[in-house]
Amino acid sequence: MARSVTKLSLLGMLRRSLVHRRARSFSALIAMTVSAGVATALLTLYADLDTKLHKEFRSFGANVVMTAPADKPLAAGVLEKVQRALPADAVAAEFAYAVATTDKGTPVVAAGTDFAAVRRLNSWWQVDAWPAEGDADAAIVGQRAAGFVGDAKALKLAFAGRSIALRSVGRLSTGGDEDSRIYMPLAALTQWTGVAPSVIEVQVPGGAATVEAAIARLKQEFPELQIQPVRQLVEGESKIVDRTHALMYGAVVLIALTVAVSVLATLSASVLERRRDFALMKALGGSQGQLMGMFLLEAVALALAGVAAGFVIGSAAAWAISEGNFHTATLPHLSVLPVVLALNLVIAAMAALFPVRVLRGLQPAALLKGE
Amino acid sequence: MALEIPVDSTTTTTNAAGPNPGEVIVTDNLWKTYVMGDQQVNALRGVNLRIRHSEYVAIMGPSGSGKSTLMNLIGCLDSPSQGRYWLNGHDVSQLNDDELARIRNKEIGFVFQTFNLLARATSLHNVELPLIYNGTPTAERTARAKEVLESVGLGSRMDHKPNELSGGQRQRVAIARALVNRPSIILADEPTGNLDSKTSVEIMALFQELHAKGNTIVLVTHEPDIAEYANRIVTIRDGVVAGDQLSTRNRNQQP
């Protein structure tokens, strides 16, 4: 029966070796794919991690507080200047505070602010309903402050002999000092009490360095104001980001080592199984370089195939993890491909070290004699 | 594993002058010593040998006599502990692994007792294998492999793998592989050891045919009747040449 005659070449021999030892090749390929997949997923997440974590931390509220001196409240237009001095995605809201008396005669802190800005700034606040924009007499009442007033819906407050009637549209719960306050529009508070804003709370997106830089800039522009970072937030965020980075690096290294051991076992078995074939090739004139080149080519081919499959799988995993945890998709990062490729090639090279030593030490005479 | 160590020898060197014209193999006081545990084993103890081009020589000896060690040295599969070896005029006794690989590829055609074919390669690919290592272009490689397979009577078995061939056919593939690089010598180590009597006779007839075409053949065997196919029989015993004579058949053909 006539058969098709394929041409013999080193590449053909490589293909034949991989195909005919498909179980071993497959197990090595799986290991390489796992390594490339995990590395791709982690590095892809890593590339977006800062942005995503900082975005998550934004929900914790202000990380910088600007306070006016007690005897000199904030001048008109300071908020706009602050906003101009900060990155476009920074959020700032100003606050004025006055101690008023409720209809039950209980002192309570009345805070005037811009609800729209506060809602962006403190997205973590639990408010059952926010006042509509432009609603001049709407207020939100803190959980504890609700107990200080006679009618929690129709608020009546007095300050220095002047009273104000407000509608409570929502209840505020933060677990902090805010629960003891009544928030109303800044214009309404200023008009009622004559108290001007004295505090600006700012949310600067980014890590500790970015926040410190923003503070430095603000201090330079507003030397009369006391400007402080919210330390526990800025430093906590920085620590979490750094530890997450270290964890990811550690995971990649650990997985790379595990995979290297697995590939080492596979490649070693592959060489030991074919000692006789390699001995024959040596006897027929194959140089050490040619034989090792052929063997290393096998390892490299497996590494490259692993990178191709692993990059696709790892990118998909990163997308799913990101969607699940951060609710935003992380797109594949081609920039991680060279790193993943280098990692897999290093694993292949490490795993090939022992088999290559076996190859170098092969004695064709004894093996071909069947000893 | 045995370790090789240098050995002092007082054996008289008789081939120190090197090869004469027409000689393809010359050994001078060839020693091979292995260290096994705390023992030194002298597998060869000063072998002097001269083989001319187109000779058909059988190296005979009982098991453990050193004939396989000698074959390994002659085949450049191993290096001597002491002494010199000229193959086709070149001193190859001090070459490194890669240089020896080049010499094996260019100068020596091996035929093994267990055939040693690549199991998953066709006859054609098995025969082409030595040509890959010296960079012969694909077209020429295939043409030469086909030509030599046809010359050993396997023109119709080129695309068959070893497990689809009989023992005799496998050995013919191995012989074709040995011939494909047009080597200076064909080195056959017990080539009929795995064959039945009838096939052995066929294979030995093929060797005679190759010899008749001018090939130099060195046959290693422990079977006297197989050695008798050669023109000259060198007997190795206890690591030295114990006898070197014409075969009976050759003696009978002498005037």
Side-chain angles (χ1 to χ4, degrees), chain B residues 152-227:
Chain B
V152 298
L154 287 178
S156 60
R157 294 283 185 275
M158 290 188 193
D159 305 328
H160 289 66
K161 291 181 179 167
N163 63 357
E164 299 166 328
L165 301 171
S166 69
Q169 287 171 332
R170 288 181 206 181
Q171 197 58 298
R172 282 171 188 270
V173 175
I175 292 169
R177 184 181 60 196
L179 291 170
V180 75
N181 249 346
R182 295 164 193 147
S184 302
I185 58 168
I186 295 168
L187 204 49
D189 185 12
E190 308 274 11
T192 59
N194 272 16
L195 302 175
D196 59 44
S197 304
K198 183 172 172 284
T199 314
S200 296
V201 170
E202 287 171 11
I203 292 297
M204 293 318 295
L206 180 56
F207 276 116
Q208 281 188 306
E209 203 181 303
L210 295 175
H211 175 237
K213 287 179 182 169
N215 288 290
T216 308
I217 298 173
V218 178
L219 175 73
V220 177
T221 183
H222 68 279
E223 296 177 76
D225 55 329
I226 293 294

Side-chain angles (χ1 to χ4, degrees), chain A residues 208-283:
Chain A
T210 314
V211 174
E212 294 297 341
I215 289 172
R217 203 161 47 248
L218 290 172
K219 278 184 174 171
Q220 199 178 358
E221 280 204 39
F222 306 98
E224 73 282 10
L225 300 183
Q226 188 188 5
I227 301 170
Q228 296 289 340
V230 181
R231 287 270 171 218
Q232 69 269 31
L233 207 58
V234 174
E235 286 171 13
E237 175 179 348
S238 179
K239 274 180 192 163
I240 288 173
V241 170
D242 288 348
R243 281 175 193 173
T244 309
H245 283 179
L247 196 69
M248 284 178 140
Y249 276 135
V252 169
V253 170
L254 199 65
I255 288 162
L257 286 174
T258 311
V259 168
V261 170
S262 161
V263 178
L264 165 70
T266 307
L267 293 184
S268 299
S270 167
V271 162
L272 293 174
E273 265 176 9
R274 289 184 288 163
R275 275 188 311 169
R276 214 176 159 92
D277 286 358
F278 282 121
L280 176 67
M281 292 175 193
K282 258 188 173 180

Side-chain angles (χ1 to χ4, degrees), chain A residues 17 21 24 267-284 291 294-295 298 354-371, chain B residues 1 116-118 120 133:
Chain A
S17 166
R21 288 169 188 81
R24 289 220 179 281
L267 293 184
S268 299
S270 167
V271 162
L272 293 174
E273 265 176 9
R274 289 184 288 163
R275 275 188 311 169
R276 214 176 159 92
D277 286 358
F278 282 121
L280 176 67
M281 292 175 193
K282 258 188 173 180
L284 297 182
L291 296 190
M294 209 177 89
F295 177 73
E298 268 188 52
F354 171 72
V356 160
R357 281 190 63 186
V358 172
L359 264 183
R360 285 184 68 90
L362 278 183
Q363 297 293 329
L367 279 162
L368 297 176
K369 208 54 179 149
E371 290 165 5
Chain B
M1 200 177 77
N116 285 319
L117 301 175
L118 292 181
R120 294 184 180 95
Y133 300 124

Side-chain angles (χ1 to χ4, degrees), chain A residues 1-10 13 15-17 19-21 273-274 276-291 294 360-371, chain B residues 1 68 72 75 77-78 97-98 101-102 104-105 108 110 112-122 124-126 128-130 132-135 138 141-142 146 159-161 164 177 181 189-190 220:
Chain A
M1 191 175 72
R3 302 181 191 196
S4 64
V5 178
T6 53
K7 286 186 176 147
L8 184 63
S9 63
L10 284 174
M13 288 163 77
R15 183 186 54 78
R16 198 161 51 213
S17 166
V19 169
H20 284 295
R21 288 169 188 81
E273 265 176 9
R274 289 184 288 163
R276 214 176 159 92
D277 286 358
F278 282 121
L280 176 67
M281 292 175 193
K282 258 188 173 180
L284 297 182
S287 66
Q288 298 276 25
Q290 283 171 318
L291 296 190
M294 209 177 89
R360 285 184 68 90
L362 278 183
Q363 297 293 329
L367 279 162
L368 297 176
K369 208 54 179 149
E371 290 165 5
Chain B
M1 200 177 77
S68 288
N72 291 341
L77 291 168
D78 206 348
D97 276 359
D98 281 350
R102 253 197 316 280
R104 285 196 296 270
N105 182 261
I108 304 166
F110 288 99
F112 302 97
Q113 179 179 348
T114 50
F115 320 131
N116 285 319
L117 301 175
L118 292 181
R120 294 184 180 95
T122 62
L124 186 65
H125 288 173
N126 266 295
E128 280 186 72
L129 200 56
I132 284 189
Y133 300 124
N134 61 22
T138 311
R141 207 165 65 203
T142 308
K146 282 182 176 173
D159 305 328
H160 289 66
K161 291 181 179 167
E164 299 166 328
R177 184 181 60 196
N181 249 346
D189 185 12
E190 308 274 11
V220 177

Side-chain angles (χ1 to χ4, degrees), chain B residues 77-88:
Chain B
L77 291 168
D78 206 348
S79 298
S81 307
Q82 189 178 305
R84 295 178 79 185
Y85 169 32
W86 290 267
L87 175 61
N88 208 18

